[in-house]
Amino acid sequence: MAYRSKYTGRYSGIGRLLQTPGVQAACMKAATEIMTAAVARAPVGGNDDPHPGQYKASFIVTPHEKNVPFRGKPKLRAGARVLNTAPHALHVEYGTARTPRHAVLSKAMDDVAGRFG
């Protein structure tokens, strides 16, 4: 007779796991991959652009901890953010009447997510 193992998870243990430095490092690694894809997709601008290359050079990755409610209580979870600090980043991402929508961060996330199926 073959023995079949069982696993019963405990929410408190899984919650503590999601706060560890290892999970933070994995989130930072994934965010760095997204940032690399975003830098590759970022528009640079032409000769008439007053700040060529500023958007492309303004990507950063920051660690992030978020309070996620679980059973009515907020619990800290590790994560990471990819940000663009250029003053015109919102216009490049979403577009305006004079600027086309590039959706750099959205497309970069799709590029990286496509690698993991």
Side-chain angles (χ1 to χ4, degrees), residues 11 15 18-19 64-78:
Y11 289 115
L18 294 175
Q19 297 173 355
H64 177 67
E65 287 186 346
K66 182 177 182 181
N67 271 327
V68 178
F70 178 72
R71 293 184 178 169
K73 296 179 184 177
K75 304 288 184 181
L76 282 178
R77 300 295 183 248

Side-chain angles (χ1 to χ4, degrees), residues 63-102:
H64 177 67
E65 287 186 346
K66 182 177 182 181
N67 271 327
V68 178
F70 178 72
R71 293 184 178 169
K73 296 179 184 177
K75 304 288 184 181
L76 282 178
R77 300 295 183 248
R81 286 186 174 171
V82 179
L83 302 170
N84 191 301
T85 58
H88 56 285
L90 194 64
H91 299 293
V92 174
E93 187 70 24
Y94 294 106
T96 63
R98 297 183 316 181
T99 307
R101 180 178 188 261
H102 291 283

